[in-house]
Amino acid sequence: MRIAIASDHAAVDLKAELREYLIGLGHEVADLGPETADRVDYPDYGYKLAGVVAEGIADYGVALCGSGIGISIAVNRNAACRCALVSEPLSASLAREHNDANVIAMGARLTGVDMAKACLDAFLATDFGGGRHAGRVEKLSNPTV
């Protein structure tokens, strides 16, 4: 899979860990930055990640900041993205199965490396369930449906 990953300064270390983990699993990973822990604004990286996913350059995105909240809000400003803030594998799996989430968000100050890896595993291993969920998901990107 093609996966884009981005963070703010608070999550740059978690981003590096997850980037290497995903590469080790055989995924093609685009690291959208930042490269250092110098202060940056999470919306800039959230918008950048959303654009890459919306354009189909990446199949999925991983958005990280201190809490995961701010960057998930930024990503969700793009109607083509369905970013789910998760903290454990069940929410990651349900985000894919029920909501067809194409971006997963986590907070580096709240989620440890091992739990973040478990969330990624669940997210990437789960397919969208379709069926009764399909119409609801369509309304997320097109509220006039």
Side-chain angles (χ1 to χ4, degrees):
M1 284 182 233
R2 296 170 302 154
I3 301 169
I5 189 167
S7 72
D8 71 356
H9 56 280
V12 74
D13 291 338
L14 179 60
K15 179 176 64 77
E17 291 267 357
L18 296 180
R19 178 188 63 230
E20 295 309 311
Y21 178 68
L22 290 166
I23 291 169
L25 293 175
H27 299 293
E28 179 183 325
V29 180
D31 186 339
L32 305 180
E35 295 303 316
T36 70
D38 294 340
R39 186 193 168 283
V40 296
D41 296 328
Y42 59 80
D44 297 335
Y45 290 90
Y47 297 150
K48 188 179 202 181
L49 178 65
V52 168
V53 173
E55 292 172 23
I57 296 167
D59 302 308
Y60 297 106
V62 180
L64 308 165
C65 69
S67 67
I69 298 168
I71 201 164
S72 68
I73 292 169
V75 170
N76 279 321
R77 298 285 176 162
N78 187 314
C81 293
R82 291 169 305 282
C83 180
L85 175 61
V86 304
S87 58
E88 35 61 46
L90 179 58
S91 60
S93 178
L94 290 173
R96 285 285 310 127
E97 182 181 354
H98 290 188
N99 309 115
D100 197 19
N102 51 9
V103 180
I104 185 175
M106 292 178 279
R109 294 180 178 137
L110 306 173
T111 307
V113 173
D114 290 339
M115 183 59 73
K117 290 176 181 178
C119 289
L120 274 176
D121 290 342
F123 183 80
L124 296 173
T126 304
D127 292 324
F128 176 49
R132 65 187 170 100
H133 304 293
R136 297 171 185 153
V137 169
E138 178 62 26
K139 289 180 180 183
L140 294 174
S141 296
N142 185 3
T144 60
V145 172

